[in-house]
Amino acid sequence: MKSAKVSPGKKSRRGRKKSESQDESKFLPLPLENKIPVPAGQDEELAPAVADPLQRYLAEISRYPLLSREEEERLTKEYYETRDPRLAYKLVTSNLRLVVKIALDFQKFWMQNFLDLIQEGNIGLMQAVKKFDPYRGVKFSYYASFWIKAYILKFIMDNWRLVKIGTTQAQRKLFYNLKKEKDRLDALGFEPSSKLISQRLKVKEKDVIEMEQRMGAWEVSLDAPVREDSDEKYQDFLPSNDPPVEDQVARDEVGERLRQVLAEFGRGLKDKEKVIFEERLLAEEPLTLQQIGSRFGISRERVRQIEERLLKKLKKFLQERLPDIENYPLALEAS
């Protein structure tokens, strides 16, 4: 049987495929330790995959090697000078495990999906790479930890409640340190009162009380029934900001009466007084003293004097027609 001859500069197709598959294998994910075994007689391609996405993610990031202090310093300086995205990629991937470590400290605040915290921390890590200045003498991982914590904490604050419980930097700081300070006081044998916590954290006591109330109560839908067997909803027990019906009816009646009296007063005016009353005192966009003076060829001071005299006449007229008008400030405001 003749053996196949291969030229020195070429590889056989079989050998080339084998070497290519070996090179490509360097970029494939490492096998998972908890991979589900394939039952006998079943095709491996049809075997169920590992269901836990967190375990898959941790297995993926374990592929990337950690950097030594010298390598980290060299890469950060090169990226700072060149802004090469390949260097940024290496800095990010080598610190993905740092994000997981920091996210574990925040897991007690966010029990829904741990990958949410990791995702936000990764965004903070990328921002740290972008903003880092290697010539300030600070270790990159130490600098990046602040960005990672900031993004994770902001995510938790924005999603802890439907209504945000921390919109300022001081509130975010209080949210993060409140439980830690309570535990510290308990360990020292002190009662963790809101006053003592406010003194130790250097914040207002009312801010501590408000944050405790926000963290201790979950949202309740206003459309939800008060009890399972009840047709009454929570919104039925909310206080109304509208005035009582009796006050509304009384205000409408007095307002209507006031408009009738003002109309009666205006019918008894003539010339300048009528213009000042209708186009200055009652108008939504009143004329100025100068505009009225120019219309009648008189000075602004003369118009002011006429207006002052008119107001005295109006006050006397209202006292005669509506002797109790001062008891209805809402009616006067509405009119």
Side-chain angles (χ1 to χ4, degrees):
M1 182 175 181
K2 295 183 180 180
S3 59
K5 295 182 179 180
V6 181
S7 60
K10 297 182 181 180
K11 293 183 179 180
S12 67
R13 182 177 301 177
R14 180 179 301 176
R16 185 164 59 250
K17 286 185 178 180
K18 184 176 181 181
S19 61
E20 288 175 355
S21 62
Q22 291 175 348
D23 292 338
E24 292 174 356
S25 64
K26 294 187 297 182
F27 302 97
L28 295 176
L30 295 179
L32 301 179
E33 296 178 358
N34 58 346
K35 186 175 180 182
I36 300 175
V38 181
Q42 183 176 348
D43 191 352
E44 185 174 359
E45 294 181 356
L46 302 178
V50 177
D52 189 351
L54 177 59
Q55 292 299 324
R56 292 189 64 86
Y57 177 80
L58 296 178
E60 287 291 325
I61 65 175
S62 65
R63 298 166 45 205
Y64 302 106
L66 298 177
L67 298 177
S68 64
R69 180 66 184 271
E70 294 75 16
E71 291 175 325
E72 180 183 276
E73 184 176 352
R74 177 181 58 82
L75 285 175
T76 52
K77 288 182 178 180
E78 288 184 12
Y79 176 72
Y80 185 80
E81 300 294 339
T82 64
R83 296 295 170 180
D84 188 344
R86 291 174 297 180
L87 300 176
Y89 175 81
K90 191 167 185 178
L91 286 170
V92 169
T93 53
S94 62
N95 284 279
L96 291 176
R97 277 171 276 191
L98 173 64
V99 176
V100 176
K101 180 177 181 297
I102 294 175
L104 286 171
D105 296 334
F106 291 86
Q107 192 175 14
K108 59 180 175 292
F109 298 111
W110 188 258
M111 303 299 294
Q112 300 183 36
N113 190 343
F114 185 58
L115 285 174
D116 291 338
L117 303 184
I118 295 177
Q119 176 177 282
E120 294 299 319
N122 288 342
I123 298 176
L125 174 61
M126 289 186 286
Q127 284 294 322
V129 172
K130 182 179 179 181
K131 300 289 185 179
F132 182 65
D133 185 351
Y135 297 102
R136 292 184 178 272
V138 179
K139 189 177 178 181
F140 172 73
S141 57
Y142 177 77
Y143 174 83
S145 64
F146 288 93
W147 280 94
I148 296 168
K149 291 177 183 177
Y151 269 76
I152 293 177
L153 182 56
K154 184 178 184 303
F155 170 79
I156 295 175
M157 297 292 291
D158 290 345
N159 295 276
W160 181 274
R161 298 285 189 274
L162 292 176
V163 178
K164 294 182 181 180
I165 65 174
T167 56
T168 65
Q169 184 65 28
Q171 288 176 335
R172 295 190 182 102
K173 183 178 179 181
L174 180 58
F175 172 87
Y176 181 58
N177 293 320
L178 183 58
K179 189 177 184 304
K180 294 170 64 177
E181 191 61 34
K182 278 187 174 182
D183 296 340
R184 187 178 294 114
L185 290 173
D186 275 334
L188 295 174
F190 293 99
E191 177 66 26
S193 63
S194 56
K195 183 176 182 179
L196 182 58
I197 294 175
S198 66
Q199 293 173 351
R200 293 177 66 92
L201 296 180
K202 297 181 180 180
V203 296
K204 297 179 181 178
E205 184 179 0
K206 65 181 184 70
D207 293 338
V208 176
I209 296 174
E210 182 180 357
M211 184 59 68
E212 286 181 329
Q213 292 174 345
R214 290 179 174 182
M215 293 177 64
W218 294 98
E219 297 91 350
V220 176
S221 173
L222 295 178
D223 294 326
V226 178
R227 296 186 303 272
E228 292 184 2
D229 58 345
S230 174
D231 294 333
E232 296 177 329
K233 301 178 181 179
Y234 282 99
Q235 63 182 1
D236 298 334
F237 296 91
L238 293 177
S240 175
N241 295 324
D242 297 332
V245 178
E246 297 81 1
D247 292 348
Q248 182 68 37
V249 173
R251 185 174 65 177
D252 294 342
E253 291 179 353
V254 175
E256 180 61 28
R257 177 58 181 156
L258 179 59
R259 284 187 286 270
Q260 293 175 359
V261 173
L262 291 175
E264 181 183 352
F265 178 78
R267 288 193 292 269
L269 301 177
K270 295 181 180 180
D271 300 332
K272 303 179 184 66
E273 288 185 340
K274 189 174 184 64
V275 172
I276 293 175
F277 179 71
E278 294 180 351
E279 300 187 31
R280 178 169 170 81
L281 298 182
L282 298 183
E284 294 184 1
E285 298 181 1
L287 297 178
T288 63
L289 297 175
Q290 184 64 46
Q291 289 173 327
I292 298 175
S294 300
R295 179 183 298 186
F296 293 100
I298 57 178
S299 64
R300 295 174 65 256
E301 178 61 22
R302 179 56 183 159
V303 177
R304 189 193 64 77
Q305 293 174 358
I306 297 174
E307 182 182 56
E308 185 177 357
R309 184 180 64 194
L310 178 62
L311 289 173
K312 291 179 180 179
K313 290 172 61 176
L314 176 60
K315 182 178 180 180
K316 182 179 179 181
F317 187 84
L318 290 175
Q319 289 175 346
E320 293 175 354
R321 297 292 193 277
L322 298 173
D324 58 346
I325 189 64
E326 295 180 356
N327 297 329
Y328 296 92
L330 291 176
L332 287 171
E333 182 180 344
S335 302

